[in-house]
Amino acid sequence: MTQFSSTGAAGSASPTLLTRLFQAREASLLLILLALVAVTTAINSRFLSAQSLRDLALNVAIVALVVVGQTLVLLMKHVDLSVSSVLGLTAFLTGSLFVANPGMPIGVAFLAGLGMGAVLGAINGLLVAYGKVPALVATLGTLYVFRGVDYAVVHGGQITASNLPAAFSGFASGSILGVPNLVLLVLAVMTGFGIYLRSYRSGREYYAVGSNVEAANLAGINVNRRVLTGFVLSGAIAGLAGVLYLARFGTVDAAAGNGLELQVIAAAVVGGVAITGGVGTIAGAGIGALLLGVIGSALVALRAPAFWQQAIQGALLLLAISIDIIIARRAARAMQERSHR
């Protein structure tokens, strides 16, 4: 059977070149991150205080978690715009379960969030994989449909911390060796999916589908099933993020997670996940989420106007997409030159 690397189909010249280029890109992001932290700390020494670092880690964690699912979808040359609505809806519904069942075990809440998210993700997957609706159109539609359902269910109400068990709220605020539980859970999910994409054939199939659908079909990959699975996983992860959002903030209303989808997509693309599919890693996407989180915190520490954060996110997204296009063209040119030798 044909083997696939983390940047596309094996056996071609371009994946090797792309691998080197994107590894260099991840290293560049880390250098930019370190430089940003150093400059901000020099201006405001409290930026690296223990509490500031804790707040930064907690704020980035939920975005980084949703980025994992978004990465799976982007690798297949699709996009999931509905993740913010999935997060908001599952957060409120999970809180409602606690209100209706005060003694409900915390583990049941996590399973419920995963299950609800998976069902919502399956709707997206069926529309894209079997309905052949473009992912951008399908998930833009479900973004509003799920948010509309959220508003209908919430009906002007909200879940507050007083409705939640102390143990559940304590999970997000608790820590092990100084590292917040929420951050450890997100790191575990990222590590697991990073290994899955790199070391298992089913994980490498995401790259194959995004690189060349026709070649993936010829290699025996069930493309429709892989696309459906990717969206189900994206939904399930967004559902899990919804449960963690509830535990982190305690108060949830119909606007929970609004606009998160753009942060998630920007983080993934800035982190090296190509919008054209077939290229990227979970680690790179995580670095992208961390970079955007640090930029946001740095702007707050420097007392810059809030609108600059969105402006910088947009600029970085455009820059990252431009870099992807340039790299893809150079890789294609290099492959053509080698084929003519």
Side-chain angles (χ1 to χ4, degrees), residues 80-240:
D80 187 355
L81 295 175
S82 70
V83 289
S84 60
S85 295
V86 173
L87 182 150
L89 183 56
T90 54
F92 187 85
L93 291 178
T94 302
S96 299
L97 287 176
F98 277 123
V99 173
N101 306 279
M104 184 177 70
I106 294 175
V108 174
F110 281 97
L111 291 175
L114 284 166
M116 289 185 286
V119 170
L120 297 176
I123 294 173
N124 288 329
L126 290 171
L127 287 171
V128 176
Y130 295 97
K132 302 305 177 184
V133 180
L136 181 65
V137 176
T139 60
L140 180 61
T142 54
L143 164 71
Y144 289 109
V145 170
F146 297 160
R147 185 63 66 181
V149 172
D150 194 10
Y151 275 99
V153 171
V154 173
H155 200 60
Q158 65 177 197
I159 302 295
T160 63
S162 61
N163 301 129
L164 306 175
F168 179 71
S169 301
F171 173 80
S173 59
S175 61
I176 298 176
L177 299 177
V179 182
N181 296 333
L182 191 152
V183 174
L184 290 173
L185 176 58
V186 172
L187 287 174
V189 173
M190 293 181 70
T191 301
F193 274 95
I195 294 172
Y196 167 66
L197 289 175
R198 185 177 64 251
S199 304
Y200 291 86
R201 176 176 173 78
S202 57
R204 295 192 295 273
E205 287 179 357
Y206 290 97
Y207 293 98
V209 172
S211 297
N212 190 315
V213 175
E214 290 76 14
N217 274 313
L218 291 174
I221 296 172
N222 188 326
V223 173
N224 288 340
R225 185 176 63 188
R226 183 54 51 207
V227 171
L228 174 61
T229 301
F231 276 100
V232 169
L233 287 174
S234 178
I237 292 171
L240 174 61

Side-chain angles (χ1 to χ4, degrees), residues 242-270:
V243 179
L244 296 180
Y245 184 99
L246 176 65
R248 166 85 169 98
F249 297 105
T251 300
V252 173
D253 57 19
N258 234 345
L260 184 72
E261 70 280 355
L262 296 181
Q263 296 179 48
V264 169
I265 294 170
V269 175
V270 168

Side-chain angles (χ1 to χ4, degrees), residues 2-16 204 207-208 211-212 215 278:
T2 305
Q3 296 296 311
F4 302 98
S5 71
S6 61
T7 52
S12 66
S14 58
T16 303
R204 295 192 295 273
Y207 293 98
S211 297
N212 190 315

